[in-house]
Amino acid sequence: MGADEQPSPTRKRGREEELADGGAAEKRPREEGPEGASLLGLINYEDDDEEEAARDHSNGLRVEEEDEEDEDEEEDERRAPERRPRQVELRRDCPYLDTVNRQVLDFDFEKFCSISLSNLNVLEAGHHVFINLQTEKAYCLPDGYEINDPSLEDIRHVLNPRFTREQVLNLDKNKQWSRALDGSNYLPGMVSPHEFLQAVMKASNKRFQIGVQSDPVEFMSWLLNTLHAKLKSSKKKNRSIIHDCFQGELEVVKEVHRKHIMEMKEDGKEQNGEAGSEVGTADGVVTETSKVPFLMLGLDLPPPPLFKDAMEKNIIPQVPLFNILKKFDGETVTEVVRPSIARMRYRVTRLPKYLILHMRRFTKNNFFVEKNPTLVNFPVKNLELKDYIPLPKPKENDKLRSKYDLIANIVHDGKPGEGCYRVFVQRKSEEAWYEMQDLHVTETLPQMVALSEAYMQIYEQHE
């Protein structure tokens, strides 16, 4: 939680939650321990006052300030004792610590009470040990003292994990499994997605919702741009760790006939792109060259065949990844019609550390959405780009890093609008591949990663 937010000091799974990612839902029944087995949040009476004021404001109510000064002072005097902070006793021994049941503490779900189903501060009969999710201090209520006991450190650690730089760097090298509070094993770095999905739904104003399948390319674009906006440094102009990892650069050569430029100006549709050099020719064609940053590269698939084979089955064509990468060789011409009819040529001038490729499988028109089923053949390891597209020479004493390994592959199965998405993710420490769909995770063979209709891929650059 951010420091500017009100604490939400409750921590347990609810009676029944809908857990979904990409269209599938899973119901999990409420798990209850014996009476007094919960670890809930510390009650905070001041939060209620602030929430009431916020509700009044949101409902359009206004507090009148026409009372006389004397009445205000008397009111302040009456309320002063309530707001005066009192000293809380600190004790090492607490007879209720054995009532904390770690088996029902699930730190991957939204933080709310399983009894009241509320994410506000609650106080329930039969509960004695409470923890404030912001300060991480534990209290015994209604006795009203703070508990200082090292036996709660494991709960604090899972509540708000902290990692050193060395620990983060070793995540890709660690082969050991860890054990959760409930006794289950998990891979460090693969935590449950529920809190992340809740944060996404809130930050996107419900543009991406739990239980509603969204386009992975649209989501990835939103996620990277949102993280960049929140993480960019004021010292470095418009730079962030997101751009340092994912942003590359293209040289774009655009050829437009002068009459189309005049038509756009007359219609008021002229777009102000990044400034570049313009060269006019005798045949009325204007050539504009500019440098454009990118976070992912869109690859065009060849159109599928219109006819069926002798067995009356659809022919599913295949194309090597290198063929569709020719779009960025600086010579291949791509015809575009928006915002105006133009001929485009693209050339990669800077490669990012993590290269994201998007296979454009879906085509929309006024009536329906078509899906291109063409299979893309690609290497899982050692994708050498310099053999297929021209790359700029590295600076002096620098090495050209143009070799990549696949670390994630998102595929689409089924018809457009009716199908579903799966993702293959590599765990680097073991070089093992996992197939994930919603909450279902299974280990798979590297050979299975390439036998699918790839939709979006993420490659990592060799050091």
Side-chain angles (χ1 to χ4, degrees):
M1 296 184 65
D4 57 340
E5 296 180 23
Q6 290 295 326
S8 177
T10 55
R11 192 62 171 184
K12 261 186 59 181
R13 187 160 55 230
R15 286 195 181 92
E16 190 175 73
E17 298 179 58
E18 185 170 340
L19 314 177
D21 182 12
E26 172 182 324
K27 297 286 186 180
R28 180 174 296 189
R30 165 191 171 195
E31 299 178 24
E32 294 186 22
E35 185 181 17
S38 316
L39 186 70
L40 298 177
L42 174 69
I43 191 165
N44 187 335
Y45 295 99
E46 290 185 10
D47 286 354
D48 296 335
D49 297 336
E50 293 174 9
E51 288 171 11
E52 189 66 30
R55 275 198 300 269
D56 290 347
H57 182 71
S58 63
N59 292 331
L61 300 179
R62 185 176 62 185
V63 179
E64 299 293 343
E65 299 180 354
E66 297 178 358
D67 297 335
E68 293 186 7
E69 229 175 273
D70 294 341
E71 295 179 3
D72 290 342
E73 291 177 359
E74 292 176 3
E75 185 70 18
D76 291 341
E77 289 177 2
R78 284 198 299 270
R79 292 190 179 184
E82 298 177 10
R83 297 180 179 176
R84 188 177 301 139
R86 62 188 181 88
Q87 196 69 21
V88 179
E89 180 186 0
L90 185 65
R91 289 176 54 177
R92 289 186 175 273
D93 58 325
C94 178
Y96 298 106
L97 284 179
D98 59 349
T99 66
V100 177
N101 186 358
R102 286 163 171 78
Q103 297 295 321
V104 298
L105 295 179
D106 197 324
F107 292 90
D108 293 323
F109 285 79
E110 183 186 6
K111 306 177 183 71
F112 64 90
C113 175
S114 64
I115 304 298
S116 65
L117 299 182
S118 169
N119 61 353
L120 305 177
N121 301 329
V122 294
L123 182 61
E124 186 68 27
H127 295 72
H128 299 279
V129 181
F130 293 77
I131 190 168
N132 186 304
L133 300 184
Q134 189 175 31
T135 65
E136 300 179 17
K137 291 183 178 181
Y139 298 86
C140 179
L141 296 178
D143 296 0
Y145 58 85
E146 181 182 347
I147 305 171
N148 182 17
D149 193 285
S151 66
L152 297 176
E153 287 303 315
D154 60 338
I155 296 176
R156 291 192 179 98
H157 173 72
V158 182
L159 171 66
N160 187 14
R162 298 174 178 86
F163 300 95
T164 63
R165 177 180 173 84
E166 289 72 23
Q167 288 174 320
V168 173
L169 292 175
N170 289 328
L171 277 178
D172 285 339
K173 302 176 183 177
N174 178 31
K175 297 183 180 181
Q176 293 183 345
W177 289 61
S178 297
R179 184 175 294 273
L181 290 179
D182 61 0
S184 61
N185 296 323
Y186 69 94
L187 288 171
M190 305 282 195
V191 295
S192 183
H194 304 100
E195 279 202 295
F196 173 72
L197 294 176
Q198 291 284 353
V200 165
M201 187 168 65
K202 181 179 179 182
S204 66
N205 294 323
K206 297 187 177 180
R207 177 181 172 186
F208 303 102
Q209 300 185 45
I210 298 176
V212 180
Q213 184 168 263
S214 299
D215 187 286
V217 173
E218 182 183 351
F219 170 72
M220 195 67 175
S221 300
W222 171 87
L223 180 64
L224 292 180
N225 284 289
T226 301
L227 290 175
H228 164 69
K230 299 294 184 182
L231 297 174
K232 62 183 178 182
S233 172
S234 57
K235 297 179 181 179
K236 296 181 180 180
K237 249 187 176 181
N238 205 31
R239 298 297 302 176
S240 71
I241 189 174
I242 299 298
H243 278 187
D244 292 342
C245 291
F246 294 97
Q247 190 181 74
E249 187 182 70
L250 289 175
E251 179 186 78
V252 180
V253 179
K254 181 178 181 181
E255 297 179 356
V256 187
H257 201 280
R258 195 176 298 276
K259 69 175 183 178
H260 295 309
I261 298 178
M262 299 304 296
E263 289 173 0
M264 289 185 64
K265 288 182 178 180
E266 291 174 1
D267 295 339
K269 296 181 180 179
E270 185 178 17
Q271 297 199 358
N272 297 322
E274 187 172 334
S277 59
E278 289 188 6
V279 177
T281 60
D283 57 357
V285 175
V286 176
T287 302
E288 179 183 341
T289 303
S290 59
K291 295 290 183 69
V292 178
F294 71 87
L295 291 175
M296 66 176 67
L297 295 177
L299 303 178
D300 303 316
L301 299 176
L306 300 175
F307 305 101
K308 298 182 179 180
D309 61 10
M311 302 298 293
E312 290 297 315
K313 293 183 179 180
N314 290 325
I315 302 173
I316 301 179
Q318 300 185 30
V319 60
L321 175 64
F322 313 112
N323 284 12
I324 56 179
L325 275 173
K326 289 180 180 178
K327 176 181 178 180
F328 300 97
D329 62 6
E331 298 179 2
T332 301
V333 174
T334 303
E335 303 279 351
V336 299
V337 295
R338 294 180 180 178
S340 63
I341 299 175
R343 292 161 55 89
M344 312 289 287
R345 285 181 284 129
Y346 308 97
R347 185 172 68 91
V348 177
T349 55
R350 188 178 74 245
L351 287 170
K353 179 175 176 59
Y354 293 94
L355 177 66
I356 304 178
L357 301 180
H358 164 215
M359 286 69 173
R360 293 175 171 167
R361 293 197 172 273
F362 301 105
T363 305
K364 297 181 181 179
N365 56 35
N366 294 332
F367 304 100
F368 53 87
V369 178
E370 278 187 300
K371 178 185 175 182
N372 190 327
T374 301
L375 295 178
V376 179
N377 299 321
F378 55 88
V380 175
K381 294 183 72 69
N382 298 321
L383 169 63
E384 181 56 89
L385 292 180
K386 72 177 182 181
D387 294 340
Y388 303 95
I389 59 176
L391 296 172
K393 293 183 179 180
K395 297 178 181 179
E396 192 176 352
N397 299 326
D398 284 351
K399 181 182 177 182
L400 178 63
R401 296 190 297 171
S402 57
K403 189 174 288 188
Y404 287 82
D405 290 338
L406 184 71
I407 58 174
N409 183 35
I410 299 176
V411 304
H412 181 268
D413 301 319
K415 298 179 180 180
E418 301 177 8
C420 59
Y421 295 97
R422 292 178 292 132
V423 59
F424 294 93
V425 178
Q426 186 192 44
R427 176 165 166 78
K428 290 189 63 178
S429 61
E430 303 168 319
E431 292 193 357
W433 284 90
Y434 292 86
E435 179 184 339
M436 303 180 183
Q437 185 175 13
D438 299 331
L439 297 177
H440 305 287
V441 181
T442 55
E443 190 170 355
T444 187
L445 296 173
Q447 297 89 329
M448 300 300 297
V449 178
L451 300 177
S452 54
E453 298 178 13
Y455 184 56
M456 187 171 73
Q457 298 179 325
I458 303 179
Y459 288 85
E460 183 181 33
Q461 192 178 56
H462 282 204
E463 293 294 336

